[in-house]
Amino acid sequence: MSNIRIRTRNGEYLAELDGSDISNAVWLSLPFTTAINMFGGQIYFEMPAGGAEPEGSRVTKLEVGDIAYWPKVGALCIFFGPTPLSGDDGHPVSKYSVVKIGRILDDCSSMDSAGDRQRITLERAF
């Protein structure tokens, strides 16, 4: 497991990645800064993973705080709250199948004001 720090204009969040090949590829590519896209309670952005193939089952229903990789477009997704596809239970739902690769360890509810097309930075945390 590897720890990363996620920084947006409104906060900083500590997260843990699992030991999968895709997580290791993400961790090795850090630091990484880009513009984010928002879809309700989801932040996503393209992030090259050095050709690593995602392991594990692909899911659409997630938990608040989950970090996932969207293999179809090579994007990292951070789920911080309900998405437009969420049901009454409030769990984030992805429109496309993703592979969970980690989890935010801090309260991530403030990510809702990170802002579409704003900057996000991921760094290694030790």
Side-chain angles (χ1 to χ4, degrees):
M1 302 238 180
S2 304
N3 287 343
I4 62 171
R5 188 167 320 284
I6 301 168
R7 297 176 197 263
T8 66
R9 71 181 181 160
N10 63 316
E12 184 176 297
Y13 312 90
L14 184 63
E16 181 178 73
L17 299 178
D18 64 21
S20 66
D21 288 347
I22 197 76
S23 294
N24 291 332
V26 166
W27 195 81
L28 290 171
S29 70
L30 302 182
F32 184 79
T33 300
T34 191
I36 60 177
N37 301 295
M38 294 188 76
F39 182 67
Q42 174 187 355
I43 288 174
Y44 65 98
F45 49 89
E46 285 185 40
M47 184 168 196
E53 287 296 318
E55 304 160 14
S57 59
R58 297 180 187 208
V59 297
T60 55
K61 190 170 184 179
L62 298 114
E63 299 288 332
V64 169
D66 280 347
I67 299 172
Y69 193 74
W70 181 8
K72 185 174 182 175
V73 296
L76 199 65
C77 307
I78 302 169
F79 296 88
F80 61 85
T83 63
L85 304 173
S86 294
D88 292 336
D89 63 5
H91 287 282
V93 176
S94 175
K95 186 173 181 179
Y96 302 99
S97 294
V98 296
V99 178
K100 289 196 288 189
I101 64 166
R103 178 150 192 77
I104 294 178
L105 301 174
D106 300 322
D107 175 15
C108 56
S109 60
S110 63
M111 281 188 165
D112 65 345
S113 56
D116 195 43
R117 304 308 304 157
Q118 297 298 312
R119 294 177 80 69
I120 188 167
T121 299
L122 282 72
E123 304 168 323
R124 295 176 190 169
F126 299 96

